[in-house]
Amino acid sequence: MPANTAQTWASVLQYVRAQIKPQQFDTWFPQLRCLEFDPAGHVRLATPNTFYKHWMERHYRELLTNAFEEVLGQSVAVEFVIEPPAAGNGCSASAPQTAAAPSPPAVQTPSSPASQPASNAEFGPDTAPAPASSIAGTGDIPLNPHYTFDNFVVGPSNRLAHAAALAVTENPATQYNPLFLHGGVGLGKTHLLQAICHQLIAKNRSVRYVYLSCEAFVNEYIASLQRGEVDGFRQRYRHVDMLLIDDVHFLASKKALQEEFFHTFNALYNAQRQIILSSDSPPNEIQDLEERLVSRFRWGLVAEVEPPHYETKVAIIRRKAQARGKELPDDVVDFLATNLDSNIRELEGAVLKIIVLAGLQNRPIDLALCRSALKELTSRSGHVNISQIMNVVANHFHLKIADLQSRKRSKSLVLPRHICMYLARTLTPMSLEEVGGHFGGRDHTTVLHAESKIRELREQDPELRAQLDRLARELQRG
Ligand code: ADP
Ligand code: MG
């Protein structure tokens, strides 16, 4: 692969990684190879077999197209071809392989990343066969290597969940059994579950644990039923030291599966094995979850992972940039933390996007780049415009909009006016000149001064910061 192809492909993969679940990424993307892209925007990607090719076409063509367009800055057409990995290292044209018989789903062994994705009627046409990671003391597992405790930024929003997760690695099956983590999407539940696995491996390489998504658990159960091997299934899950199941809200309204899960739970619990679960909602809010499961899920510790506050967002943004070898300027970090909502996956995606863009355009990472890179992201969150800003600020300070726009310099007007300018600069893509134009034709240096003044005050004055955050939220709610 030519160097620039390799670089582009690496950026595309980074982009994709930030958009999908790690399990999906690990299942489908390591085996995909970029053969070429030409200046006309034709991209050719190699897949190992027909099943794989169809899967990619159906599920990931759009994402890959977006990723290439994002990275290359031009429109592209993505084509998938079949070329088994053994065929060579890039452009060699080997005879396309006809569909290799897909392997049964059973348990995908994590130690064989080259194993084919399972294709099986059990999964139904549109359900991804979530890979099950089953481990008994091998370090050879498809955990995301970045999802460790070291890489987890702790703040008030996730402190309890983090402490409990750490505690179960110290003293499994004592204090918190089960440990039930819940919270919105992209807030770090999977990260914490996998961090527990990493920690266990580091401490005791012979520990037997199973980490998998609830969907994979269910798929395996159904597959074992169909093959008449339910006993084997039960053996596998009921004889581990620790069972970690991600996204148990998947059990919502699935009575028969809840029954099976209930028995697995009891068997492990009675044998004093640690159970760790995650879910997008607390036990009692999972739809149609049997009461006996709700109550069992609450036996141990139920900890919520909440959306991060500003300071935690700042720390996470910095950490994510450092992980990619970059330091972001303060104003860029502040811009991101203020404007993006609290989904950490989105924060990560934005950091990545800025870094990739700066590299491709050979530009420094600054506020201007950040604004243009994130225009749609930030404007999507609320479509804020200058008149809304003036309205909200005028209301908040009990002033008239005309006064805000006037050239009067009374003290009671200067701060709110500066706040308007600051909000316009952080919440809209307007330039300094444009903002100045709305305030009695002030020139760009005045706006720049206002913006940096408020930024500075915001750092020093928690009260003002809270006020600004409230105004920004109000505006973004629309
Ligand atoms: P969830 O399972 O709650 O939907 P994930 O665990 O998949 O969320 O987290 C989404 C992304 O955000 C991951 O890349 C993860 O590493 C990152 N992330 C979440 N919380 C933190 C945190 N506190 N510190 C660092 N990264 C985090
Ligand atoms: Mg998750």
Side-chain angles (χ1 to χ4, degrees), residues 403-461:
D403 285 337
L404 280 175
Q405 292 183 296
S406 73
R407 299 191 71 90
K408 292 184 205 161
R409 298 198 42 84
S410 67
K411 222 174 157 204
S412 61
L413 284 175
V414 172
L415 181 72
R417 189 180 290 139
H418 284 179
I419 288 179
C420 281
M421 294 179 181
Y422 166 86
L423 289 171
R425 290 288 293 159
T426 47
L427 300 180
T428 78
M430 290 172 76
S431 68
L432 294 168
E433 287 77 10
E434 282 174 293
V435 177
H438 286 271
F439 294 89
R442 287 176 162 84
D443 74 7
H444 72 277
T445 49
T446 312
V447 180
L448 192 61
H449 167 75
E451 191 186 341
S452 53
K453 184 84 206 150
I454 299 294
R455 214 176 277 289
E456 198 184 306
L457 287 175
R458 184 177 200 282
E459 283 303 305
Q460 300 157 359
D461 180 354

Side-chain angles (χ1 to χ4, degrees), residues 21-22 147 183-191 193-194 211 246-247 249 278-279 345:
K21 288 187 185 161
Y147 289 2
V185 177
L187 297 183
K189 301 180 298 295
T190 297
H191 189 134
L193 259 56
Q194 295 202 9
Y211 162 76
D246 215 350
D247 297 328
H249 52 263
S278 85
S279 160
R345 202 188 303 282

Side-chain angles (χ1 to χ4, degrees), residues 210-229:
V210 169
Y211 162 76
L212 79 172
S213 71
C214 190
E215 191 175 342
F217 178 88
V218 164
N219 283 337
E220 274 197 43
Y221 173 64
I222 294 170
S224 75
L225 271 182
Q226 290 176 344
R227 290 198 302 269
E229 294 169 0

Side-chain angles (χ1 to χ4, degrees), residues 283-297:
N284 54 326
E285 287 175 25
I286 299 178
Q287 218 186 350
D288 286 327
L289 185 67
E290 281 183 39
E291 197 42 48
R292 55 185 186 165
L293 271 179
V294 174
S295 90
R296 269 165 180 74
F297 288 174

